[in-house]
Amino acid sequence: MFKNELRRNVAAVRVKLFLRSKREALQDQLKYERNRREQTEQRLALLYKGIESRKSKRAELIERNNNSEGPKPKLESRIGKYDHEIEDAELMREELQNGERDSKRKSEILVKDAKTLAGRIKQLDEDTEEAQIQTLLIGSTEWPSEATDDASKAGQERADVGSIPGFSSLPQTLIENIPKLFGTRSGHIGWNFSIDAKIEDEPKEGDEDDIDIKLEESEEIEAPFQQQRWLKNMADFLDKNVRGSSDSSTSAFKVKVALIDDGVDANLDLFKGFIHPKGWPQGEPTSNEYPFYHSAAGHGTAMARLMHTMCPNIQLYVAKLGAWAEKERVGRLGEASTADNARKAVEWAIKQKVHIISMSWSLVHKDGSDKLPSNSEQIRLLDDQIKEAARQGIIMYCAAADEGLYGSSKELYPKQSDTEHIKAVGSAQEFGQQSQFVDASQVDYLFPGEKIEGLRGKKGSSAATAIAAGLAALILWCFEKHLGSVGLKKIAHPKQMHHLFTKLKARESKWVDATKVFKEGASIATAVNYCSKVVDTMD
C-alpha cells in the first residue's frame, strides 16, 4: 500500500515538473517572439526612413534631369540606382511585415498552449493529494492496517521503505524538510527536489489508478532541452539549402579550416570525409604522444562537431596543441612548450593554405616574474606567425578568457598579438546577452555559447569560437557556390568578414545576429546577395 501510494505521488510530481518545464519553455519562446517583433519594428522604421529618403533624392534627380538640356547619362544612372534600391527596400519591408505577422500568429498559439498547460497543472494539483507523501514519509506513526497488525511485520515494512534508494540515505533533518521542498501549502513544487527512487514491486494487474510513467533507478528530473534558437534558425537553413538540397553536393569546393585544439577523434562516422588525413603532428609509431586524430579530453572533438553543425562542407585540418586532461588544460596553457606548439601549429596551417584558423583557447603570457618558467620567447614567435597568417589573408578566431579560468591575468594570446585581424569571440546567452562569465569589453563578437545541444550542459567561449568559425566557413561556401571562385575572393579575407560580422551585430551589442542573413525562407542566393551588399559598403 505504502509503495503504491508513493509511486503515484512521485509520478504526479514528475508530471508536474515536466509540465512546468514545458510552460517555462513556452514563456521563453514568447519572450523570443516579442524581442523579434521589437527588432522588426525598429528595422521597419529605419527602412521606411531610408525608402522616403531615396524617393526624395530620386525625385530631385528626375527634376534636374528634366530641366537639363540633352541626355544626362550620369543622372539617369543614379536615378536607376535609386530605383533598384527602393525596389529592394520595398521587398525587404514586405518580408519583415510578413515575418511580423507570422510572429504574432505564433505568439497567439504559444499563449493558448501556455494556458492549456496551466489548466492541466492546476487540475493535477487538485487531484494529487501531495500531503499523502508528507504523511507517509514523516507524519505517520501508524502504518496502514492492510499491511499487517503485527509489530514485527510493520517494522519490516519500514525496513523495506528504507531500502528505496534516495530515502534511506537521507538524514532525518532533510527528510523533515521535504514538505518545504514540495511546498504543499502553496501547491508549488521546488525545482531543487530530485527523485532517486526505484519501486521494486510493480503494481499487480487490477491495481487501481494505473501508473503510466515508470521510475528508473537514479533518474533525475530535468527540463526538456531547448536548442538555441539562433542555432535552430541556422539548422533550418542548412536542412533546406545544404543538406537537403539535391544540387548542394554538386560543388566539390570545401572550405579549408584549421582547428588548433587537443586533437579530434577522427574515427567517428560524423567526420567521414570531413577531416583531412594530413594533420599536425602526424606522430611517430615509437612516440609516447597520441597523434592529432585522438582527443585526450574530447574538447577538440566537441569543437569539430560544432563546426560540422554550422557547415558540413568543411575540410578540417587538425593541429594538436597538446594532450592533457580537462582539469590540466588551463595550467598547461601557460607552459612554454604549449606556446611553442601553438606557433608550430599556426605555421603548419599557413602552409596548408587554409581559409580559417579556429583557436578555442587563450595562452597565458609568463614573463618569469612569478618564479615560474618564462614563455616570452615562444609567445613572441607565435606572435610572428599570427601576423604572417594575417598577411596571407587567413581569417582567425580565438576564444575570450572566460572569468574564473585564467585568474587575474589579462595578457592572453593570441588575442594580444600585434594585429587587428585576429578576433576574440565570447559566449552569449539565448537572446544575445553576454554570458555572466564573459567580459564583453574584451571580445570582438558574441556568439551562442550556452544551451547548445550535444555539449552535455557545458558552455563557454570555446564553443562560441567554433560556431563563429563555422558561420564564416558557411558564408565562404555559399559565396563560392553562388558566384564561383571570383565570388569567394570577394569575401575570403579577415577585413571583409569582420565588416560583415560588424554589420550583423545587434544594435549597441556585440551579438552577431546571423538570422538577418539566414532567416526563414532564405536561400543561398539571397544570403549571398545580402552579404555582398554589406561588403560593397566598405570604404
Side-chain angles (χ1 to χ4, degrees), residues 9-272:
N9 283 282
V10 169
V13 171
R14 287 171 58 85
V15 172
K16 279 187 285 187
L17 287 172
F18 175 72
L19 292 178
R20 286 195 175 102
S21 69
K22 288 188 66 176
R23 184 174 62 181
E24 288 193 357
L26 289 175
Q27 290 169 345
D28 285 344
Q29 291 174 355
L30 277 169
K31 182 179 177 182
Y32 168 76
E33 294 298 338
R34 283 196 296 269
N35 290 345
R36 176 184 169 189
R37 288 199 299 277
E38 288 175 3
Q39 291 178 2
T40 299
E41 289 171 1
Q42 293 173 359
R43 292 175 67 187
L44 281 169
L46 291 172
L47 201 57
Y48 178 78
K49 290 181 180 179
I51 292 172
E52 293 303 310
S53 174
R54 282 164 174 76
K55 285 182 177 179
S56 176
K57 291 178 180 178
R58 177 181 177 278
E60 291 176 5
L61 291 176
I62 290 175
E63 185 176 357
R64 284 173 55 190
N65 191 45
N66 291 337
N67 294 334
S68 62
E69 296 181 359
K72 298 290 182 181
K74 288 186 178 180
L75 281 176
E76 291 175 356
S77 175
R78 291 175 64 186
I79 292 170
K81 181 181 178 182
Y82 279 127
D83 286 338
H84 288 302
E85 289 180 354
I86 291 169
E87 183 181 355
D88 289 345
E90 292 285 6
L91 289 173
M92 187 177 294
R93 181 166 66 175
E94 185 178 351
E95 287 183 7
L96 288 172
Q97 289 171 340
N98 289 337
E100 188 175 30
R101 285 192 290 270
D102 181 58
S103 178
K104 287 180 180 178
R105 286 194 296 269
K106 286 182 179 178
S107 294
E108 291 172 359
I109 295 171
L110 290 171
V111 169
K112 183 178 179 181
D113 289 346
K115 287 181 179 179
T116 301
L117 281 176
R120 290 178 63 188
I121 293 170
K122 183 179 179 182
Q123 184 64 41
L124 201 55
D125 280 336
E126 294 173 354
D127 296 342
T128 300
E129 299 182 13
E130 291 173 3
Q132 287 186 15
I133 295 181
Q134 176 180 331
T135 302
L136 289 168
L137 289 178
I138 62 171
S140 177
T141 57
E142 296 181 0
W143 296 87
S145 58
E146 294 90 341
T148 182
D149 292 327
D150 183 74
S152 61
K153 290 183 180 179
Q156 181 62 44
E157 180 72 15
R158 290 188 183 92
D160 291 341
V161 172
S163 67
I164 298 175
F167 289 108
S168 61
S169 59
L170 291 177
Q172 185 66 24
T173 54
L174 182 57
I175 293 177
E176 291 172 355
N177 285 326
I178 286 179
K180 297 178 183 177
L181 292 171
F182 272 73
T184 53
R185 294 183 181 180
S186 63
H188 176 69
I189 306 287
W191 274 101
N192 56 342
F193 180 78
S194 63
I195 295 169
D196 187 16
K198 181 180 181 181
I199 308 302
E200 295 178 359
D201 54 336
E202 295 293 331
K204 294 180 174 56
E205 188 175 352
D207 279 354
E208 296 178 358
D209 300 326
D210 292 337
I211 306 300
D212 58 358
I213 296 180
K214 294 182 180 180
L215 304 181
E216 301 295 338
E217 187 174 18
S218 300
E219 183 180 0
E220 292 185 350
I221 298 172
E222 295 181 356
F225 182 84
Q226 295 293 318
Q227 172 72 298
Q228 270 264 13
R229 291 179 181 83
W230 189 101
L231 292 172
K232 186 180 184 303
N233 217 75
M234 295 302 304
D236 291 342
F237 174 86
L238 289 167
D239 288 341
K240 177 184 176 183
N241 298 284
V242 183
R243 301 189 188 99
S245 176
S246 58
D247 67 339
S248 64
S249 60
T250 57
S251 173
F253 174 73
K254 298 276 189 180
V255 183
K256 298 169 72 173
V257 180
L259 173 62
I260 304 177
D261 212 285
D262 71 345
V264 174
D265 292 324
N267 61 334
L268 298 177
D269 290 340
L270 175 70
F271 298 143
K272 185 178 181 180

Side-chain angles (χ1 to χ4, degrees), residues 3 7 65 99 126 136 250 321 348 430 463 465 471 516:
K3 292 182 182 179
R7 179 188 290 106
N65 191 45
E126 294 173 354
L136 289 168
T250 57
L321 192 63
W348 173 81
E430 174 84 14
T465 303
L471 176 63
K516 292 180 180 179

Side-chain angles (χ1 to χ4, degrees), residues 293-416:
Y293 46 83
H294 177 271
S295 177
H299 189 273
T301 301
M303 299 305 103
R305 283 178 181 274
L306 291 174
M307 288 186 190
H308 185 274
T309 298
M310 289 299 301
C311 182
N313 298 309
I314 283 178
Q315 185 75 82
L316 195 67
Y317 288 75
V318 179
K320 189 160 188 170
L321 192 63
W324 47 75
E326 186 66 29
K327 293 181 179 179
E328 302 175 296
R329 180 179 174 81
V330 174
R332 298 289 293 274
L333 288 173
E335 294 181 357
S337 60
T338 304
D340 191 48
N341 281 345
R343 186 265 303 173
K344 293 176 181 176
V346 173
E347 182 180 21
W348 173 81
I350 294 171
K351 291 179 180 178
Q352 308 312 309
K353 300 186 182 300
V354 299
H355 300 99
I356 301 169
I357 299 177
S358 180
M359 298 166 277
S360 290
W361 41 266
S362 290
L363 300 182
V364 182
H365 180 209
K366 300 286 186 181
D367 59 7
S369 60
D370 55 1
K371 297 183 179 180
L372 292 174
S374 171
N375 62 0
S376 295
E377 178 61 16
Q378 289 78 11
I379 289 289
R380 184 187 68 78
L381 294 173
L382 168 63
D383 186 65
D384 289 342
Q385 290 302 318
I386 292 292
K387 287 187 283 188
E388 178 58 29
R391 282 193 290 269
Q392 301 261 354
I394 298 175
I395 300 166
M396 292 178 284
Y397 302 108
C398 67
D402 292 344
E403 293 179 7
L405 289 180
Y406 298 91
S408 60
S409 177
K410 295 296 181 183
E411 197 169 358
L412 301 171
Y413 285 80
K415 173 56 182 171
Q416 295 297 320

